[in-house]
Amino acid sequence: MPAMKDEVDRSSLLSLRQWITVEGPNSRDAVLRKTAVARGLALILRHIARTGIGRYGQNDKHVDPIFAALHQHVLGLKSRSLADDAHVDNFTLEIIDGRPVVLSCVSPSVNLVLEAGDTENAILPRHESLESWTIDLRTSPTDVSHPPTTGMSNEDSDALLTKLGDLLYKLYSGNPNLCATTAKEVNPIAFQRLNVDDDVVGGHHRQKRRSTAVTMLGQFGERHAQLKDLGVPDVTACLVRDLLEVSLGDFRPDTSVASIEEVCEELQLMHEKSGIFMFASPIVEQPRLEIDTTVLYGREDEMSRLLSVHDRLRDTGESEAILIDGYSGCGKTSLARSVIPHVERAGGYFIGQKLDVLTSSPVALVLNAFDMLPPLVLKMCNPCEVESIKRDLCSIFGDQLASLVRLLPNAALLRTSTWSSPPSASQLDGKLRVDYTLQLFARIISSRQRPIVLHLDDIQHTDQYSLDLLQHILCDIKGCSSILFVGSFRSNELGDEHPVNGFMRKLDRNGTLTSNIHLGGIKLESINALVSNSLRLVPRYCKDLSREIYRRTDGNPLFAIETLRSFAERGLLEYRLRQYRWCWDIDRIGDVKLSDNVSDLITLKIAALPEKNRQALKALSCFGSSANHDILNTLSMELENLQLGCFDELVNSGLLNKNDAGYNFSHDKVLEAAVNLFTTGSERACFHRDIGRVLLDAFDKGNLECVGIVADQCNHGFTSGTPEACTKMAILNEKAAASALKKADEKSALHYSRNAMRHLSKNCWESERDLSIRVHLTHAKSAAINGVMDEAKDAIDKLLPYANAIDKMAALSLKGSILASSRQIQEALATIVGVLSDLGETIPQTFDDETLELLFAQTLQSIRENSISEVRKFKLASPNDEAVPIIRFYDMAVHLSHLLHTNMLDIFACKSVMASMKVGWTKCSCFSLAVFGSRALVRGLVDESLTIGFSALKLMERFSDADDQKTFVYGVYYGTIANFNTPFQLCCERLNHGKEIGLLHGDNLGAIWNGNYFLHKGLLAAIELSKLQKECKYQESIVEGDRDQYFGMTVAYTDLIKNTLDILTGDEPFSGPIDGDWPCPGTNVIRYEFIKKYHHSVRAFWTRNFIQCFDQTRFLEDMYKNLPNTMMIQFYGALAGYCLSENETENRLIDVAIAVMREKETNCAHNFHNKRLLLEAEKLSHEGKIEEAEAAYLSAIEASRKARFVHEEGLVCELAAAHYLRNYTEDVRHRGLLQQALECYKTWGCKPRVEHVVKMIDN
């Protein structure tokens, strides 16, 4: 045998007879190889029977032609005698490395690939084509791609199945010379005679047939036992026996095989799930029913839809959302998680969290889900990708990477080797903008090649804040993140007013694709697959049991699983060692009454558990749906009634799941049943109290870090106690609130701070002064950030009389912010002025022009004397210096005075700069210095304005923690001052950066302010209008977060630029003067009416409404003469004047506009040189100086192109073409200029101008 085996290993082609002989004992691998061959034999027989290959007529009257043809050409027999075993030799195998790879049928010639694509599509003819065989049929032609059924009679089909059984017996027995039905021969004709009609043969023969059938059943049972003894799995031996029993006709058992298709399916099932059906774990004396609840049954269509959405996301890279709804137990979670293997194979990331009724902070679970990404990145990505992600994180977040780590602790895994340690807590006081931070993080981590699939289970328990967060991430129109959000919820727990419905509508409005999958009950076939896999029996054996389960559960998967378990627990389903299988009496099962509610089944199951296991369920339910290993280990060491081993027993019983993090309930219904184990509220409180006591002790010792979980347990269990206990509870909740604030978990912060306030004693200011100050200040922050302003102000007012200087400054600073955000600007400013007075500062009582100009002159003189440009020589205040609170409150006053009056703004900016020069500069000095520079610009001091503004930028560089100042400093400098020394394009770049910094710090006003400046400058910088529209849409999404922000001013400014962009792109028509009043009467720092005039001028000029454009020049005011908007109104007005009249004398504005552009050109030729040249060209043209005008036009075109102002390059070309049309009749140079103008306007995206130039070209 060994020599022969060696020869086989070297061979590439063997007959089936040879391979059966040399394959050897039925080891696991050998059985798998034989099963692959067995399935191949069945597939070939099915294929030949379906296509009719080899059906030739026979002269023998006693043999059916089809039957004879099958035996002649498939089984290798040439006569009616079926006594030899030549059919084995009709098959050959191609062997590679000992594995059967291709099975071939000799006659008719057919090949079947066994290892790859082993479906009927892989069946190939060897010498002839299937097409030629089909045409040669004696029967009607058939479509090979859709073959018909066999067309065989029942008797012939039975004979075919019997012969297949004989083939498989030879295959698994290892002896190709044995026949299954007798030691010498098998005679299907004799079997056919068993099925002659009773009326024909009479009673005597019927009795004889029955006796023959019983005898043969015994023979087939022996064959089953023989195969078992040879190491063949029981399920395979049973299939062989059942195939042989087909020959008994009417006397065959109900479980015998019905068709060749059924055989193919069973063999495929055995091969694909050999661990379930062929090589199950050894059975012990008391077997336990094991049901794999991770397998998804009957959801192929739904799973296909989910995968198609995922694959579409990989194609488009655009985020999508899909909701899965259905009743409890229908498989929503399993469906969502079924995509995990597909996502991981495709290189993506799957993250998810489960909400429950005890979830106090859904947003914390969203953050926990995103915190799963860094470990997945290290697992899924190659080293080059990981390094690239690390560099991007460092580049985009910069110093704020520490803030990301605070939000997502695992982000520290992606730090670079050069990344410094996180800054101290004092540097992280600013509110973190969670949605923008996650947007940036998702942009870096995800891509079309590696999308993120985010699953939130039971989103009926979510809240508006967490849904808004998800909306911002999914609707990140500016970024390139690729996220598929999958939310699942119970259909009967989501009303029309639930926030989830609004969430989906908002996604639709923002262009994010959404879809829905509804789950009902699964079909009977799927229930049968569930039962089959659970009992390790092929589906054919389980049909009656499956029908009974389906009748009781209506196809609900969870209900079906629990019903099956209930049958086993009640002894209605038992494993019989002698029969190697689970057995049941279907009539007995049908008579048993079970609950028609799955919750009752689970409750009864839990009630039957040992007391120790029920205690474990109670303990776990106190944490919601899950608890981690550290917590449970800590509890098991301290609580006598809680044993860690119980959790594993509950996993075995199907009530819990276990993973690397800890244990969780297998289903919500199990959690509900566990909660119901508590008979009274006081019993549950006792559990929480005992758990809280143990966890608090571990936390105090530094063994646990989850202060929120500890506080939750203590809060649920605490009823009343000693003053010392109340103090401990106040301390614990204050720590939990502070921790939640650092993680931007606003809702939890308010919950804990309220508990801390509740536990303070009535005489807390006398007994626990420091603790009381800390609790009140934390509660004020928590209440303010949640919009509960009355609570915040009340906490501060109670705190102030007892606070020391430092705490008082912090409290007053917070109070000023609260009052400002509550529209109480005057009160906020009065509070700040009062603090400044207490700090020894003298604030003017009036804000008249005389007082202002005197103070401004004094400040300017001091700046000149102190060489403001030498920033490196500035004296910086130390962190504990008295200057710090002074400058900080001046900074607040400057911010607030923006909303009140220009004189106020100037005065506070002057006072802040003077104080900084006197006592030392801080990072809060930067904004006041920049504002002072902008106010110098208004007064015409351009050079000094540029110097002062640039000094403010350089001053920020001297502070390592000044990122929070960049937003407003960038807005002032690049939005106003830098127009006269910095290219508009670079101003846009820095303003966009300022917006991003503001978003990262949660500074909405600063971010929107920079964003609006960016959009305004974008028009001047010739950024493509479509890109500006996209940026504007993103800006709108920021503004939408708080439409009432600062009295609606942000909305008003954003709407102005949006409407202007829509008109220039042709999305909206020009409609004349801009309607609407300033939403904040009484404020005039940047007057709304002036901004409206500018936008009216822009819209009118580019849509060629020159009368209205020229008309705007009449409203210019001296106080705005040095702002870019004024200059552009003059520029457009001067050009519009020529379009209205060709008489140069009537265009009085042209010389003024030229003079202004020439003056500004000295500091920044990039921005103004081309404009001056165009104005001069127009003037020369209309003065009749033809040659000089043409030279000026060419210079203006070149200057515009060099400055990358494509819109103005197009404008010069258009006006130059008009010049040639006015002055020449035969000259065709205007055509080239018009074509050039058309290309420029198309690039810019200005539809009104494109349409006008097209008409000029056509005419």
Side-chain angles (χ1 to χ4, degrees):
M1 180 70 72
M4 195 171 212
K5 183 68 175 173
D6 292 341
E7 184 180 347
V8 170
D9 290 337
R10 293 190 297 272
S11 302
S12 60
L13 191 66
L14 291 176
S15 70
L16 181 59
R17 179 186 295 276
Q18 288 176 304
W19 188 72
I20 290 174
T21 303
V22 301
E23 176 58 25
N26 286 310
S27 64
R28 182 187 181 109
D29 290 341
V31 168
L32 288 174
R33 290 193 293 269
K34 289 180 178 181
T35 302
V37 173
R39 180 169 172 261
L41 292 169
L43 282 170
I44 288 178
L45 292 183
R46 184 184 73 173
H47 178 72
I48 294 174
R50 280 183 173 182
T51 57
I53 294 173
R55 293 183 184 177
Y56 297 98
Q58 300 292 316
N59 296 323
D60 196 324
K61 300 178 182 179
H62 302 290
V63 180
D64 181 88
I66 297 176
F67 178 70
L70 280 170
H71 284 75
Q72 178 180 346
H73 293 279
V74 178
L75 305 180
L77 305 180
K78 298 181 176 62
S79 67
R80 284 182 56 191
S81 171
L82 302 175
D84 67 34
D85 298 311
H87 57 279
V88 179
D89 299 315
N90 195 39
F91 296 94
T92 59
L93 283 166
E94 184 178 347
I95 309 298
I96 298 178
D97 295 332
R99 301 189 319 276
V101 176
V102 179
L103 175 66
S104 302
C105 180
V106 177
S107 178
S109 184
V110 176
N111 289 347
L112 176 65
V113 180
L114 298 177
E115 288 207 347
D118 52 348
T119 65
E120 192 159 349
N121 293 331
I123 298 177
L124 304 172
R126 182 175 283 176
H127 303 299
E128 304 173 77
S129 68
L130 292 179
E131 239 180 85
S132 64
W133 285 345
T134 303
I135 295 173
D136 192 40
L137 295 181
R138 297 288 177 91
T139 57
S140 58
T142 58
D143 180 1
V144 177
S145 62
H146 298 88
T149 55
T150 62
M152 300 173 64
S153 65
N154 291 338
E155 291 81 2
D156 295 336
S157 177
D158 290 352
L160 179 62
L161 292 173
T162 303
K163 188 53 68 174
L164 177 59
D166 185 53
L167 270 172
L168 298 190
Y169 178 72
K170 299 176 191 300
L171 177 66
Y172 286 105
S173 68
N175 189 343
N177 300 314
L178 284 178
C179 286
T181 51
T182 174
K184 295 182 179 179
E185 64 178 16
V186 57
N187 192 339
I189 302 300
F191 294 155
Q192 284 185 317
R193 291 171 181 166
L194 290 174
N195 298 312
V196 179
D197 195 288
D198 285 347
D199 294 335
V200 176
V201 298
H204 174 71
H205 189 74
R206 185 167 57 251
Q207 181 63 34
K208 185 178 179 180
R209 285 187 304 148
R210 184 176 296 109
S211 175
T212 302
V214 171
T215 301
M216 296 225 173
L217 275 173
Q219 275 189 345
F220 300 150
E222 290 177 7
R223 300 295 178 261
H224 171 267
Q226 289 169 359
L227 292 178
K228 287 285 295 176
D229 291 341
L230 291 171
V232 178
D234 179 67
V235 67
T236 311
C238 286
L239 174 62
V240 174
R241 180 197 64 198
D242 295 343
L243 281 167
L244 297 173
E245 287 176 349
V246 170
S247 63
L248 299 179
D250 294 341
F251 294 96
R252 62 188 174 191
D254 294 338
T255 55
S256 65
V257 180
S259 67
I260 187 70
E261 283 78 9
E262 196 170 55
V263 178
C264 293
E265 290 172 3
E266 287 191 12
L267 286 169
Q268 181 174 351
L269 201 61
M270 292 178 199
H271 194 259
E272 290 180 350
K273 299 183 178 181
S274 59
I276 294 177
F277 293 104
M278 293 203 295
F279 305 111
S281 301
I283 298 299
V284 295
E285 292 184 2
Q286 293 183 339
R288 177 170 51 85
L289 179 63
E290 295 182 357
I291 301 177
D292 187 355
T293 56
T294 62
V295 178
L296 193 63
Y297 297 97
R299 302 297 186 196
E300 290 77 16
D301 291 343
E302 293 86 350
M303 186 175 177
S304 177
R305 283 185 58 194
L306 195 54
L307 291 177
S308 67
V309 173
H310 172 265
D311 292 342
R312 182 169 64 233
L313 173 66
R314 286 175 56 83
D315 289 337
T316 65
E318 297 178 359
S319 297
E320 295 193 31
I322 186 166
L323 294 187
I324 304 173
D325 74 283
Y327 288 103
S328 178
C330 66
K332 302 180 294 294
T333 305
S334 297
L335 175 61
R337 296 186 63 82
S338 69
V339 304
I340 293 178
H342 181 81
V343 171
E344 291 181 344
R345 282 195 302 270
Y349 313 106
F350 184 95
I351 56 177
Q353 289 288 308
K354 180 177 180 61
L355 294 88
D356 56 59
V357 291
L358 298 179
T359 301
S360 60
S361 177
V363 72
L365 294 182
V366 175
L367 295 175
N368 289 343
F370 276 89
D371 199 33
M372 297 168 65
L373 284 171
L376 288 176
V377 168
L378 296 178
K379 174 185 175 183
M380 304 289 294
C381 299
N382 61 51
C384 291
E385 288 178 297
V386 172
E387 287 304 314
S388 176
I389 289 173
K390 288 181 177 180
R391 287 195 299 270
D392 289 344
L393 283 172
C394 188
S395 171
I396 292 175
F397 281 93
D399 294 338
Q400 293 305 306
L401 191 55
S403 299
L404 175 66
V405 172
R406 184 184 68 183
L407 199 64
L408 307 176
N410 280 329
L413 297 172
L414 300 177
R415 64 181 182 270
T416 60
S417 57
T418 58
W419 184 66
S420 58
S421 59
S424 62
S426 62
Q427 293 174 297
L428 298 174
D429 288 340
K431 175 196 170 192
L432 189 67
R433 183 63 183 260
V434 183
D435 52 0
Y436 186 65
T437 302
L438 292 185
Q439 276 182 355
L440 289 179
F441 186 64
R443 290 177 197 171
I444 296 169
I445 298 298
S446 70
S447 64
R448 289 172 58 181
Q449 293 73 29
R450 295 194 182 278
I452 297 170
V453 179
L454 168 62
H455 174 223
L456 289 186
D457 196 10
D458 285 334
I459 58 172
Q460 68 267 20
H461 300 305
T462 193
D463 60 7
Q464 189 64 58
Y465 178 43
S466 56
L467 290 174
D468 287 344
L469 172 60
L470 289 172
Q471 179 204 333
H472 283 293
I473 297 170
L474 294 172
C475 298
D476 182 14
I477 59 174
K478 184 180 177 182
C480 53
S481 55
S482 300
I483 303 175
L484 171 59
F485 171 69
V486 182
S488 50
F489 62 93
R490 296 185 189 177
S491 304
N492 57 332
E493 295 187 14
L494 200 68
D496 293 338
E497 302 302 320
H498 196 282
V500 169
N501 296 314
F503 164 69
M504 295 298 282
R505 287 192 294 269
K506 288 178 181 177
L507 292 182
D508 282 331
R509 285 200 301 269
N510 283 281
T512 302
L513 284 179
T514 61
S515 51
N516 181 266
I517 295 178
H518 175 73
L519 299 184
I522 58 177
K523 296 179 180 179
L524 173 60
E525 292 78 7
S526 302
I527 293 291
N528 194 32
L530 187 158
V531 175
S532 168
N533 283 358
S534 302
L535 301 184
R536 301 176 184 273
L537 294 172
V538 291
R540 178 164 45 89
Y541 286 165
C542 306
K543 289 181 179 178
D544 58 348
L545 180 60
S546 298
R547 280 192 293 269
E548 180 63 22
I549 293 175
Y550 184 79
R551 180 184 68 81
R552 292 172 181 265
T553 65
D554 205 20
N556 182 282
L558 176 65
F559 201 179
I561 289 170
E562 292 305 322
T563 299
L564 187 61
R565 282 176 173 155
S566 181
F567 287 161
E569 290 161 2
R570 291 167 178 259
L572 300 172
L573 186 64
E574 58 181 349
Y575 192 90
R576 295 178 185 172
L577 292 172
R578 200 170 77 173
Q579 294 177 262
Y580 302 102
R581 54 167 285 187
W582 289 90
C583 299
W584 60 90
D585 183 337
I586 195 62
D587 294 330
R588 184 180 168 208
I589 287 177
D591 293 337
V592 172
K593 291 185 177 180
L594 295 178
S595 172
D596 58 359
N597 186 303
V598 66
S599 297
D600 293 341
L601 284 181
I602 295 174
T603 299
L604 290 173
K605 180 176 182 175
I606 291 176
L609 293 173
E611 176 62 24
K612 61 177 184 176
N613 289 6
R614 292 200 299 273
Q615 293 295 317
L617 286 175
K618 286 183 178 180
L620 186 59
S621 73
C622 290
F623 295 95
S625 60
S626 63
N628 64 46
H629 289 300
D630 289 343
I631 288 176
L632 295 178
N633 289 338
T634 301
L635 293 177
S636 65
M637 289 188 292
E638 298 295 332
L639 299 178
E640 294 181 359
N641 61 347
L642 186 63
Q643 301 176 25
L644 201 59
C646 295
F647 293 104
D648 290 325
E649 294 177 12
L650 291 167
V651 171
N652 293 333
S653 65
L655 295 172
L656 299 183
N657 295 323
K658 184 179 182 180
N659 52 43
D660 293 340
Y663 294 88
N664 61 276
F665 287 98
S666 61
H667 197 272
D668 292 343
K669 292 296 183 183
V670 182
L671 171 58
E672 292 172 10
V675 171
N676 291 333
L677 289 174
F678 294 108
T679 56
T680 63
S682 59
E683 181 189 1
R684 183 175 179 84
C686 287
F687 256 78
H688 282 296
R689 184 168 60 251
D690 292 342
I691 292 172
R693 174 180 52 79
V694 173
L695 296 184
L696 180 58
D697 182 61
F699 176 76
D700 289 339
K701 293 178 180 178
N703 298 328
L704 283 178
E705 296 181 358
C706 45
V707 62
I709 294 176
V710 177
D712 287 337
Q713 296 302 317
C714 292
N715 288 334
H716 286 307
F718 189 87
T719 51
S720 60
T722 63
E724 292 78 8
C726 290
T727 298
K728 284 186 176 181
M729 289 296 295
I731 294 172
L732 176 63
N733 278 280
E734 192 279 329
K735 289 180 178 179
S739 175
L741 283 173
K742 287 182 179 180
K743 296 177 181 178
D745 188 355
E746 302 169 1
K747 186 176 179 181
S748 294
L750 181 60
H751 167 73
Y752 294 129
S753 67
R754 281 173 171 169
N755 275 304
M757 292 284 286
R758 180 167 60 89
H759 289 299
L760 290 176
S761 62
K762 292 182 179 179
N763 63 336
C764 62
W765 297 110
E766 288 78 22
S767 59
E768 295 287 349
R769 178 178 169 277
D770 290 342
L771 172 63
S772 300
I773 291 173
R774 197 164 65 248
V775 168
H776 279 75
L777 195 56
T778 300
H779 180 56
K781 292 179 182 178
S782 303
I785 207 170
N786 279 278
V788 191
M789 299 305 178
D790 289 340
E791 281 190 47
K793 287 186 287 186
D794 183 61
I796 291 174
D797 290 339
K798 290 179 179 178
L799 159 69
L800 288 175
Y802 303 96
N804 57 30
I806 296 177
D807 291 330
K808 188 174 184 178
M809 292 301 103
L812 287 171
S813 175
L814 180 59
K815 184 175 182 179
S817 300
I818 292 170
L819 290 169
S821 60
S822 302
R823 290 197 172 200
Q824 297 172 280
I825 305 298
Q826 294 282 7
E827 294 87 338
L829 198 57
T831 299
I832 292 169
V833 170
V835 175
L836 288 170
S837 297
D838 292 342
L839 293 171
E841 292 295 300
T842 303
I843 307 298
Q845 298 299 310
T846 61
F847 298 95
D848 56 88
D849 291 344
E850 183 179 352
T851 302
L852 167 61
E853 291 307 322
L854 178 60
L855 182 58
F856 189 89
Q858 293 173 348
T859 308
L860 185 60
Q861 183 61 32
S862 296
I863 285 177
R864 289 167 176 167
E865 292 173 356
N866 283 275
S867 301
I868 196 68
S869 61
E870 299 179 12
V871 178
R872 292 187 178 276
K873 297 181 180 180
F874 283 10
K875 171 192 172 185
L876 302 185
S878 62
N880 298 323
D881 200 301
E882 63 176 6
V884 174
I886 293 175
I887 305 304
R888 181 179 179 184
F889 280 100
Y890 270 129
D891 180 59
M892 293 180 65
V894 172
H895 278 84
L896 289 175
S897 57
H898 258 286
L899 305 173
L900 294 175
H901 197 277
T902 307
N903 288 7
M904 279 181 145
L905 175 66
D906 290 5
I907 286 175
F908 281 118
C910 290
K911 293 293 292 183
S912 177
V913 171
M914 293 287 282
S916 297
M917 287 188 290
K918 178 181 178 182
V919 297
W921 298 86
T922 75
K923 68 175 184 177
C924 292
S925 305
C926 301
F927 177 56
S928 298
L929 185 60
V931 169
F932 185 84
S934 70
R935 304 315 294 167
L937 177 65
V938 171
R939 289 166 171 80
L941 305 171
V942 177
D943 291 338
E944 287 184 291
S945 170
L946 291 169
T947 301
I948 295 169
F950 188 72
S951 298
L953 289 179
K954 301 303 290 184
L955 179 60
M956 281 195 302
E957 295 177 3
R958 297 193 63 185
F959 300 96
S960 61
D961 60 339
D963 263 9
D964 56 338
Q965 300 298 309
K966 286 182 180 178
T967 305
F968 276 95
V969 174
Y970 277 16
V972 172
Y973 182 75
Y974 292 107
T976 56
I977 300 173
N979 294 291
F980 304 109
N981 72 342
T982 306
F984 287 139
Q985 291 91 342
L986 181 58
C987 288
C988 287
E989 180 183 322
R990 304 314 294 163
L991 287 166
N992 192 51
H993 183 56
K995 178 179 71 174
E996 291 175 347
I997 293 173
L999 290 172
L1000 205 56
H1001 282 272
D1003 185 353
N1004 273 24
L1005 180 61
I1008 295 169
W1009 191 25
N1010 276 264
N1012 282 335
Y1013 269 131
F1014 167 82
L1015 293 170
H1016 283 284
K1017 292 294 177 293
L1019 287 173
L1020 299 175
I1023 295 175
E1024 291 179 28
L1025 295 176
S1026 60
K1027 292 182 179 179
L1028 288 178
Q1029 280 186 310
K1030 186 175 181 180
E1031 289 288 345
C1032 190
K1033 186 175 181 181
Y1034 185 71
Q1035 180 86 347
E1036 286 183 290
S1037 69
I1038 302 171
V1039 173
E1040 187 67 30
D1042 187 0
R1043 293 189 63 83
D1044 201 36
Q1045 176 79 268
Y1046 289 90
F1047 312 100
M1049 292 187 339
T1050 57
V1051 176
Y1053 281 126
T1054 305
D1055 284 347
L1056 267 180
I1057 187 64
K1058 176 187 180 300
N1059 294 333
T1060 298
L1061 291 171
D1062 288 345
I1063 290 170
L1064 296 188
T1065 56
D1067 294 342
E1068 296 290 338
F1070 177 73
S1071 56
I1074 301 173
D1075 298 326
D1077 296 324
W1078 178 229
C1080 187
T1083 67
N1084 60 355
V1085 175
I1086 302 177
R1087 291 177 59 182
Y1088 185 62
E1089 288 301 320
F1090 171 66
I1091 300 295
K1092 283 169 58 177
K1093 300 302 180 194
Y1094 167 70
H1095 279 276
H1096 190 181
S1097 174
V1098 172
R1099 298 174 190 181
F1101 180 79
W1102 290 108
T1103 58
R1104 297 183 55 81
N1105 289 276
F1106 297 122
I1107 294 177
Q1108 294 193 41
C1109 176
F1110 187 80
D1111 198 43
Q1112 302 310 305
T1113 61
R1114 296 187 295 110
F1115 300 100
L1116 296 178
E1117 301 179 35
D1118 286 343
M1119 67 178 296
Y1120 299 120
K1121 65 181 181 180
N1122 288 302
L1123 296 181
N1125 291 349
T1126 298
M1127 299 171 196
M1128 293 310 297
I1129 291 175
Q1130 292 171 330
F1131 175 69
Y1132 294 138
L1135 295 176
Y1138 278 131
C1139 295
L1140 292 173
S1141 172
E1142 295 190 5
N1143 187 345
E1144 189 273 333
T1145 59
E1146 295 183 10
N1147 192 356
R1148 297 178 300 275
L1149 191 59
I1150 190 72
D1151 291 329
V1152 175
I1154 290 174
V1156 169
M1157 294 302 169
R1158 180 176 285 111
E1159 177 189 355
K1160 303 310 176 190
E1161 184 183 342
T1162 58
N1163 282 320
C1164 190
H1166 181 97
N1167 290 343
F1168 303 104
H1169 180 56
N1170 72 305
K1171 298 174 179 61
R1172 192 257 302 170
L1173 290 175
L1174 174 57
L1175 291 169
E1176 289 179 345
E1178 279 290 278
K1179 181 179 180 180
L1180 291 169
S1181 175
H1182 287 86
E1183 287 177 345
K1185 300 177 181 179
I1186 307 301
E1187 293 182 0
E1188 295 176 64
E1190 290 170 4
Y1193 281 126
L1194 290 176
S1195 297
I1197 291 173
E1198 180 60 28
S1200 298
R1201 185 180 294 123
K1202 184 178 179 181
R1204 292 177 286 122
F1205 294 150
V1206 68
H1207 60 328
E1208 290 169 356
E1209 180 185 347
L1211 178 61
V1212 179
C1213 291
E1214 179 190 345
L1215 294 177
H1219 162 82
Y1220 283 106
L1221 286 171
R1222 281 195 308 270
N1223 294 285
Y1224 300 96
T1225 56
E1226 300 299 330
D1227 198 313
V1228 294
R1229 283 178 288 180
H1230 70 279
R1231 293 185 178 275
L1233 289 166
L1234 286 175
Q1235 194 61 45
Q1236 189 175 344
L1238 180 62
E1239 294 304 315
C1240 290
Y1241 287 146
K1242 283 182 176 179
T1243 301
W1244 189 37
C1246 185
K1247 186 176 179 181
R1249 285 284 175 159
V1250 168
E1251 293 175 345
H1252 171 69
V1253 174
V1254 168
K1255 289 180 180 178
M1256 291 182 68
I1257 293 174
D1258 292 342
N1259 294 332

